Amino acid sequence: MVVGSSEPTSSRLTHAFAAKQSGAPLEHFAFERRDPGPGDVEIRILYCGVCHSDIHQARSEWVAVGKGSEFPMVPGHEITGRVRRVGAQVAKFKVGDRVGVGCMVDSCQRCTSCHAGEEQYCLNAAVWTYNDRDHDGRQTFGGYATYIVVREEFVLSIPEPLALDTAAPLLCAGITTWSPIVHWNMGAGHRVGVIGLGGLGHMAIKFASARGAHVVLFTRTPSKAEEAKELGASSVVVSTDADAMQAMDCSLDFIIDTAPAIKDMDPYLKTLKVNGVLVLVGIPERNISVCPVKLLDRRRSVSASLIGSIKETQDMLNFCAAKNISCEIERIHIDYINQAWERVLRSDVRYRFVIDILTSVALRSTKASQSRCKVN
């Protein structure tokens, strides 16, 4: 039994934009989502954020680090919308609820990681929202689309007063920076460095500042100093200025590196105090190298963090609602997506594109792709 909209079930025909092959421009694509099962939630997607990882995967740029790409690919894992139908066993959501879906749509729910509430580290592999296969072998398609069906455990509540458009990027850019800041308990009395001022970096500044930390932005662009301070940074260091970097030696407790570009890590490691930690949250296209001496002489550490758990994500959303924190966005229609991707590559967005799915005329077109398949 499925509870929900009185519209005919044929409306689960989903319109989307997809990359038909590696590196190809995104274009209209139609497919059928599965019917909601007893524990599933069907969501009418209203907004979807544009993550740089969408581009990486659609252009097969992560093969060297072990992540392949499957086509056709419908990207998008920063999804907000409203519940349209629910399965009979769904207890937490009802039709009309404001909800979100992030980077995961399933996990085994049995392993030690899942039992510990860390589904993103599922020992039997979490199921990613797109460019993956679910446990039944179906290809997963993401949020550049009109509908999605997700098991209840991976649906998030979007609390008032968060707006659904500015909340969408919180489900990747937000949680990716929130999780390490909370895991290492950064807050009042700590000095936190943030490398890079983009979709992730601007959220790292907002979160660390809101938790009471003194925040230092590292950037190659001096003109970003004023906007960084408006976001909550206490100071800005131009990373290409050797004297400015040297002046930061042994001054920070924690650094979050949001810039995936390959870089010399040693100047940043030198800014850490004894027991300081540098955490990577961006995925570079190739492996990086670190000088062990820079770790040994102050017992410094280099770590990494992958998004966050469902509980962490809900906690973050609740924190954002209480503190009036959201992402800075530029709202677009889906037919602008290829231009938007090129602008992302030029860092020409402040700080996240969000697709307005509901009003995108291209997704209401009856000229559906001839290629259809049933997925989740």
Side-chain angles (χ1 to χ4, degrees):
M1 177 182 176
V2 176
V3 179
S5 172
S6 60
E7 298 176 33
T9 57
S10 60
S11 66
R12 72 179 180 275
L13 173 67
T14 300
H15 293 283
F17 263 45
K20 302 292 183 63
Q21 59 186 10
S22 181
L26 273 65
E27 59 182 280
H28 187 270
F29 176 64
F31 63 95
E32 290 184 354
R33 296 284 189 187
R34 71 171 187 262
D35 279 329
D40 287 335
V41 177
E42 182 181 76
I43 300 164
R44 176 58 164 104
I45 298 173
L46 300 179
Y47 299 101
C48 185
V50 176
C51 180
H52 201 150
S53 64
D54 299 344
I55 304 172
H56 285 306
Q57 295 186 76
R59 298 184 178 182
S60 303
E61 292 173 347
W62 281 351
V63 174
V65 292
K67 178 60 176 174
S69 295
E70 183 176 3
F71 300 91
M73 181 189 299
V74 177
H77 55 208
E78 299 179 343
I79 300 165
T80 57
R82 289 189 179 271
V83 174
R84 182 172 174 273
R85 294 191 293 169
V86 296
Q89 296 176 9
V90 171
K92 295 190 296 183
F93 301 99
K94 65 183 184 302
V95 174
D97 281 353
R98 292 157 35 97
V99 293
V101 177
C103 301
M104 301 178 286
V105 291
D106 207 348
S107 72
C108 78
Q109 299 286 288
R110 300 185 305 274
C111 70
T112 54
S113 291
C114 289
H115 283 166
E118 294 187 321
E119 306 90 346
Q120 74 275 33
Y121 301 122
C122 176
L123 301 182
N124 296 304
V127 177
W128 306 118
T129 304
Y130 71 90
N131 192 31
D132 203 358
R133 292 275 168 172
D134 68 18
H135 292 137
D136 293 329
R138 290 182 293 244
Q139 185 178 357
T140 60
F141 284 0
Y144 292 16
T146 49
Y147 294 95
I148 193 167
V149 178
V150 181
R151 66 182 290 175
E152 177 183 25
E153 292 88 343
F154 290 82
V155 178
L156 296 145
S157 176
I158 307 296
E160 299 283 2
L162 294 179
L164 290 176
D165 55 355
T166 57
L170 294 173
L171 302 174
C172 176
I175 187 56
T176 296
T177 50
W178 169 267
S179 180
I181 289 170
V182 171
H183 177 78
W184 274 276
N185 198 28
M186 290 295 110
H190 294 113
R191 292 173 59 86
V192 174
V194 176
I195 303 176
L197 182 58
L200 274 67
H202 92 286
M203 291 309 306
I205 291 172
K206 287 190 175 190
F207 286 145
S209 174
R211 286 172 58 87
H214 176 102
V215 182
V216 178
L217 172 71
F218 293 102
T219 178
R220 294 175 298 179
T221 310
S223 62
K224 290 186 175 181
E226 183 176 347
E227 56 192 291
K229 291 178 180 179
E230 290 175 355
L231 292 166
S234 304
S235 59
V236 176
V237 175
V238 178
S239 58
T240 54
D241 183 335
D243 291 338
M245 291 294 288
Q246 185 174 356
M248 292 294 297
D249 279 6
C250 300
S251 65
L252 299 177
D253 300 287
F254 185 79
I255 298 173
I256 182 166
D257 183 359
T258 73
I262 302 294
K263 64 179 79 65
D264 182 2
M265 303 301 296
D266 291 353
Y268 299 99
L269 291 171
K270 289 174 63 179
T271 70
L272 290 171
K273 300 176 183 178
V274 174
N275 296 322
V277 180
L278 186 152
V279 178
L280 305 171
V281 295
I283 302 177
E285 295 177 19
R286 301 184 308 279
N287 292 333
I288 63 172
S289 60
V290 174
C291 175
V293 173
K294 296 297 186 295
L295 305 179
L296 288 167
D297 66 358
R298 295 290 187 277
R299 200 162 57 203
R300 299 166 173 131
S301 302
V302 175
S303 189
S305 181
L306 178 66
I307 56 169
S309 69
I310 295 300
K311 181 182 184 304
E312 282 181 312
T313 307
Q314 191 63 63
D315 289 346
M316 173 206 65
L317 290 168
N318 295 341
F319 180 87
C320 288
K323 299 288 187 178
N324 194 29
I325 295 173
S326 61
C327 290
E328 308 298 319
I329 70 165
E330 180 177 335
R331 204 158 78 181
I332 62 171
H333 289 140
I334 192 71
D335 52 3
Y336 186 72
I337 190 61
N338 292 302
Q339 296 96 312
W341 276 19
E342 294 305 316
R343 286 180 56 192
V344 169
L345 295 175
R346 298 195 303 269
S347 298
D348 180 24
V349 57
R350 296 293 182 270
Y351 287 95
R352 206 69 155 183
F353 286 115
V354 171
I355 306 166
D356 186 337
I357 298 293
L358 183 64
T359 64
S360 289
V361 174
L363 291 176
R364 299 202 302 268
S365 172
T366 58
K367 297 178 180 178
S369 164
Q370 295 301 307
S371 177
R372 297 184 180 181
C373 59
K374 181 171 285 189
V375 297
N376 79 317

